Amino acid sequence: MSRSLNKITLIGNLGADPEIRTTTGGNKMAQFSVATSRQWTSASGEKQEKTEWHRCIAWNAKGTGLADIIERYVKKGDKIYVEGRVEYRQYEDKDKVTKYITEINVREILLLGGG
């Protein structure tokens, strides 16, 4: 049997307060965006920076209460460690245009910083 691994680790800051929703089946989920940045100096000596935004989804799956924890303790600007897997999906909008989404399905979080 061959093995494979789909694992991502991020440390960044929340761009906005998490959005909390409950499915029709009663399962709670938290959706939030994490910004990660990198800096470098160009060949001309100019400092540059690039920020990437990562869409994250966390569920109250298997008794973890992860969405509950995020709802209660996580807010805009917080530094957070996120571990999970990358998922790609697509859907058609109301105009029948295919949209593609990349999400991080969160398995674990750590709140970083004071407080």
Side-chain angles (χ1 to χ4, degrees):
M1 176 193 289
S2 66
R3 292 187 173 177
S4 63
L5 177 66
N6 180 352
K7 182 176 182 179
I8 186 165
T9 304
L10 302 170
I11 295 177
N13 295 83
L14 260 69
D17 287 339
E19 207 175 294
I20 308 299
R21 290 190 226 143
T22 304
T23 65
T24 54
N27 198 3
K28 187 183 278 188
M29 60 90 72
Q31 178 178 314
F32 56 96
S33 292
V34 174
T36 57
S37 297
R38 62 184 179 99
Q39 299 172 344
W40 71 94
T41 304
S42 68
S44 63
E46 184 180 340
K47 291 191 184 242
Q48 307 230 341
E49 181 175 11
K50 181 169 183 176
T51 300
E52 303 282 351
W53 288 93
H54 312 276
R55 178 185 172 119
C56 300
I57 305 290
W59 297 88
N60 273 358
K62 299 178 184 167
T64 62
L66 201 50
D68 290 333
I69 292 167
I70 291 167
E71 179 179 30
R72 189 169 189 183
Y73 297 108
V74 178
K75 64 185 183 315
K76 178 181 178 178
D78 285 352
K79 185 168 283 292
I80 190 171
Y81 166 97
V82 174
E83 187 177 298
R85 68 180 183 275
V86 178
E87 291 186 356
Y88 304 96
R89 61 185 177 92
Q90 66 185 49
Y91 68 94
E92 278 189 7
D93 68 8
K94 63 182 182 207
D95 299 322
K96 301 291 185 200
V97 176
T98 301
K99 302 285 186 173
Y100 299 91
I101 295 177
T102 302
E103 295 174 327
I104 309 306
N105 190 310
V106 179
R107 186 173 339 145
E108 183 176 341
I109 63 164
L110 290 174
L111 306 177
L112 306 174

